[in-house]
Amino acid sequence: MRTALTLHPDSRCAAVTRIDVDVARPRPGGLRLRYVVSGRIGELRLPPVSTPRRGDALWQHACFEAFVRAPPGAAYYEFNFAPSGQWAAYGFGGYREGMQAVREMGAPHIDVQSNDRRYEMRATLNLDRLPALPRDALWRLGLSAVLEESDGRISYWALAHPPGKADFHHSDCFALELPAA
């Protein structure tokens, strides 16, 4: 399933013309994401790919994000993927409540391809061991991206934006339903 991210109304981004995300649930506990950024990629601050490892505060510069929950519960997970290959996973009991690093999952598989006009990041996750995501349930996703241009300007992209400042944790952002595989 392909969907497009939209730029937050208070953001500006001269380098990017479009961000699409392909989403698949190839098996009950699996999630596959492919973020495709179109535009003048050389005008973005994208660190070189290095050895994948956990990191924190990845959203401060550039990262791609997925928020996943199984309705009707309030608990959800946040997954961050930086262009460097760093990644993070957090669990929340409710809206921005009880944040804890997720240790029940292994490292996602991250692959990056880039040229002057297109940047592509693929992330494959095994979420079988996450208690708030039943394997046979419908999942609701919030997909987003934070991009930094070479002049340091940050832009915020998402499937949907709540009123006010960018807030990817807001329930309005969980705009995609992904049925069980």
Side-chain angles (χ1 to χ4, degrees):
M1 167 184 321
R2 176 170 277 200
T3 188
L5 302 184
T6 60
L7 182 62
H8 187 274
D10 294 338
S11 287
R12 289 185 10 237
C13 186
V16 175
T17 57
R18 184 172 180 90
I19 301 177
D20 291 304
V21 185
D22 293 320
V23 182
R25 196 168 168 188
R27 54 180 194 71
L31 182 62
R32 191 171 50 222
L33 304 162
R34 183 175 141 233
Y35 295 84
V36 180
V37 179
S38 301
R40 295 183 305 276
I41 304 306
E43 294 178 22
L44 296 174
R45 282 190 184 162
L46 300 172
V49 177
S50 62
T51 303
R53 60 180 164 63
R54 282 187 188 262
D56 283 314
L58 302 178
W59 51 269
Q60 291 181 341
H61 295 284
C63 80
F64 300 91
E65 302 180 340
F67 294 79
V68 185
R69 75 173 183 214
Y76 64 94
Y77 296 94
E78 173 185 356
F79 305 99
N80 304 151
F81 317 103
S84 65
Q86 286 185 300
W87 62 278
Y90 306 101
F92 294 83
Y95 175 70
R96 294 187 178 272
E97 293 178 356
M99 178 177 155
Q100 293 188 343
V102 171
R103 302 289 179 205
E104 298 89 357
M105 64 176 273
H109 176 77
I110 298 172
D111 180 52
V112 172
Q113 296 179 354
S114 183
N115 62 38
D116 292 343
R117 307 297 291 163
R118 179 180 164 118
Y119 175 89
E120 182 177 316
M121 174 183 278
R122 295 176 190 214
T124 304
L125 295 86
N126 179 353
L127 307 178
D128 284 325
R129 296 174 53 206
L130 302 185
L133 288 180
R135 296 168 38 124
D136 59 348
L138 171 111
W139 293 349
R140 290 193 64 85
L141 275 68
L143 303 172
S144 53
V146 177
L147 293 176
E148 183 176 14
E149 292 182 274
S150 54
D151 64 2
R153 183 174 47 220
I154 304 285
S155 61
Y156 302 94
W157 301 74
L159 288 175
H161 295 281
K165 67 178 188 164
D167 181 359
F168 301 145
H169 292 256
H170 193 279
S171 61
D172 288 357
C173 293
F174 287 80
L176 181 67
E177 288 189 349
L178 194 57

